[in-house]
Amino acid sequence: MRPDGDDPEPDDYGLPRVDVVVPDDARELERDVVAYRREERRRRRRDRFRRVGGPLTRFGVAIPIIAGALLVALLSGVLMTTFGPRPAPRPTGAQLAPRPSASPGKVGGLLPAGEIDLVTGQRAAIQIRDLRPGVVGIVPPGYECEEGVVAELAGRTQENELKFYLVADPRPAGGKKGTPLKELKACAGTAHDGVPQLLEDPKGVLATAYAPPPGTPGPAAGGLTAVFVQLDGVVREVVRAPRAGPELTGKVKALQTG
């Protein structure tokens, strides 16, 4: 066949006449080969994208929106847990002793009835008899924080899965007013192995029941009063001006068997 398509001899198969040019040198086809390979690479990329993104694109934009909503909900939950207000501890499920051997507010009896403020960033009113099992440290006016005692009680109560509270005696004594909350927080900060929870007792219910009366002479009046409360709400022991050591550790551990 000639390049101009004019073939003097007829086509035996009745096919349309076309111009076919066969190059003399194969290098003249290099551009066509490069274009072909480029198109093949594009086609393979499109095929890979369809295999990977097919399940997502099947539902349009629904999947990305749902994934974004789940991520926002997860981040919100983490932030609320970290920076949100801490709820007041729930009362223990154990029942109070039905027939204690002493009246409320005495050793061998239940804690006094009434409400008290738990201070954990926000104030929450709780029942005094829910302060169990654990140790309540009553701080007298003008108290010079005994770091060893506070740290010992905080550490030993944490080891035995008990609670440790600090509360100021609001009754003035010898011209000294009750310890302010700021100083109570500073005293609690001396504990390294546990974190005392702070209480506010403006009516002095706990101090009136267990701490020495204002003006009582002797070193015990200027020291911490530790109230040891069993799981059933019975006050096992009251120790005035306790000292850190094995004896105090034993008293804390004994609350687990009370």
Side-chain angles (χ1 to χ4, degrees), residues 20 31 55 67 85 106 116-118 124 140 156 164 168 179 184 191 206 217 234 240-241:
V20 177
R31 286 187 299 176
K106 305 292 182 182
I116 196 169
D117 289 336
L118 177 65
R156 300 295 83 79
F164 177 44
T179 303
L184 202 64
L206 290 169
V234 172
R240 294 173 179 173

Side-chain angles (χ1 to χ4, degrees), residues 29-44:
L29 298 174
E30 184 176 356
R31 286 187 299 176
D32 295 333
V33 172
V34 171
Y36 170 77
R37 290 175 178 172
R38 186 184 303 115
E39 183 61 30
E40 283 295 301
R41 287 196 295 270
R42 291 175 180 171
R43 183 184 60 79
R44 288 195 293 268

